[in-house]
Amino acid sequence: ACPFGISAVGTSALYRRHADLLLAEAAREANLPFILSGASSGTVEQVVRVAPANTWSQLYGAKEPAQTDRLVRRYCDAGVSVLVFTVDTPVRQFSEVAARSGISLASGVTLKTLPRAALDVIAHPAWAWEYVRGGGQPMLQSWQAYAPAGSDARGVVRFFSERWLGNQTWRDLDRVRRLWPGKLVVKGLVHPDDAQAALQVGADAVTVSNHGGNKLDRMRASIDGLPGVVERVGGNGQVLFDGGIRRGSDIVMAAALGAQFSFVGRATLYGVGAGGLEGALRAIEILQRGV
């Protein structure tokens, strides 16, 4: 119903408990696609039950090909129709947020970081109450089934971090294409040669994206790469766009440069964080008015 959908955002339950399910519900209500993150707090089975016709799944390739294959089969068994193979994280990124705060999902709050964390809690009492009432750090349920039995939330994050490998090759894409029976999108390409190669391997669409610029901070901006990709492959496959969408006019600009569809991440994430389902729907409404 819209020229845009909701993009994948990992560990979104840190903003609001059950955010993945709420965003899926908003996508169902607005009739637009929702990409479940490969690092989600809700399981793909739970999300598909909420929005069976609207759920796409993001795939992060694992260090072990067998684990990647298990994920692909799981998404297929859950009834997902579109797989978004994300390839724009070739190395483990340096998190400036974690560096400043000293806090990460794997480490949690330490004695050294407790004063800063305490100030944040005092400044955000509603969020802090929901966090404590919900049992603390949300579980990374998308990977919980593969972690050692009895792992807590931090243990599952550590397990994911050790086995997740962003450096995917064309051989990996070829294997995923042979295993996945549905529509396949390759996300995270900004160079025309890569987009062309992805379609030649068998992708149905490519998403021009640099992962918000937070994985490799010297990558080309997504919007700058879009025209070249469209010129090269526009007639051979769908070209989607993801990156920097903050208002409806940004969606119009991406379309004017040749994108056939766009995805937003922060707008709907902030909406669900501020107001739950109503907030997510409000963010979608604001974007719709600007298109």
Side-chain angles (χ1 to χ4, degrees):
C2 309
F4 64 91
I6 300 176
S7 190
V9 179
T11 61
S12 60
L14 284 170
Y15 292 80
R16 178 175 287 267
R17 192 71 55 169
H18 307 304
D20 293 316
L21 303 179
L22 294 170
L23 288 169
E25 188 174 355
R28 186 193 68 206
E29 293 290 323
N31 190 26
L32 48 86
F34 165 64
I35 305 176
L36 178 66
S37 170
S40 64
S41 300
T43 68
V44 63
E45 293 82 7
Q46 291 170 336
V47 171
V48 168
R49 281 196 293 270
V50 171
N54 303 82
T55 301
W56 299 12
S57 280
Q58 178 191 39
L59 173 69
Y60 281 129
K63 185 178 294 185
E64 299 173 354
Q67 176 60 38
T68 301
D69 296 349
R70 281 192 287 269
L71 291 167
V72 172
R73 285 192 289 267
R74 181 178 182 181
Y75 298 145
C76 184
D77 292 343
V80 172
S81 59
V82 181
L83 185 68
V84 182
F85 189 21
T86 300
V87 298
D88 54 8
T89 311
V91 296
R92 190 184 302 275
Q93 76 274 18
F94 172 76
S95 173
E96 295 183 356
V97 173
R100 285 195 302 269
S101 68
I103 301 172
S104 71
L105 290 175
S107 69
V109 178
T110 64
L111 287 176
K112 182 179 179 180
T113 59
L114 182 59
R116 180 189 179 104
L119 288 175
D120 280 343
V121 167
I122 293 170
H124 304 90
W127 177 90
W129 169 242
E130 183 192 57
Y131 183 84
V132 173
R133 185 180 61 177
Q137 180 174 322
M139 176 65 72
L140 198 68
Q141 292 192 66
S142 54
W143 279 74
Q144 184 181 15
Y146 311 109
S151 296
D152 61 9
R154 293 179 195 169
V156 174
V157 170
R158 285 193 293 269
F159 178 86
F160 167 71
S161 299
E162 292 166 359
R163 284 155 181 81
W164 164 53
L165 177 67
N167 188 19
Q168 301 298 297
T169 69
W170 296 112
R171 188 183 305 110
D172 295 311
L173 175 57
D174 182 63
R175 192 184 68 257
V176 169
R177 175 68 282 181
R178 285 186 280 107
L179 190 61
W180 178 253
K183 296 291 186 181
L184 178 63
V185 179
V186 178
K187 176 180 180 287
L189 306 176
V190 294
H191 196 286
D193 291 350
D194 290 333
Q196 184 177 40
L199 293 174
Q200 289 173 343
V201 171
D204 298 286
V206 295
T207 299
V208 177
S209 171
N210 68 359
H211 215 117
N214 66 357
K215 303 306 178 191
L216 286 175
D217 59 4
R218 294 298 182 267
M219 278 190 71
R220 189 180 190 189
S222 302
I223 198 68
D224 291 336
L226 178 59
V229 171
V230 170
E231 182 179 2
R232 178 74 65 85
V233 305
N236 300 318
Q238 299 287 312
V239 178
L240 317 180
F241 180 78
D242 187 325
I245 300 292
R246 301 290 184 271
R247 53 183 60 84
S249 58
D250 295 332
I251 298 169
V252 174
M253 181 170 65
L257 291 174
Q260 291 157 298
F261 202 79
S262 292
F263 282 90
V264 301
R266 295 191 190 191
T268 45
L269 179 66
Y270 291 168
V272 77
L277 175 61
E278 291 184 3
L281 290 171
R282 175 63 173 153
I284 292 170
E285 179 188 352
I286 292 171
L287 291 168
Q288 285 176 315
R289 282 209 317 263
V291 174

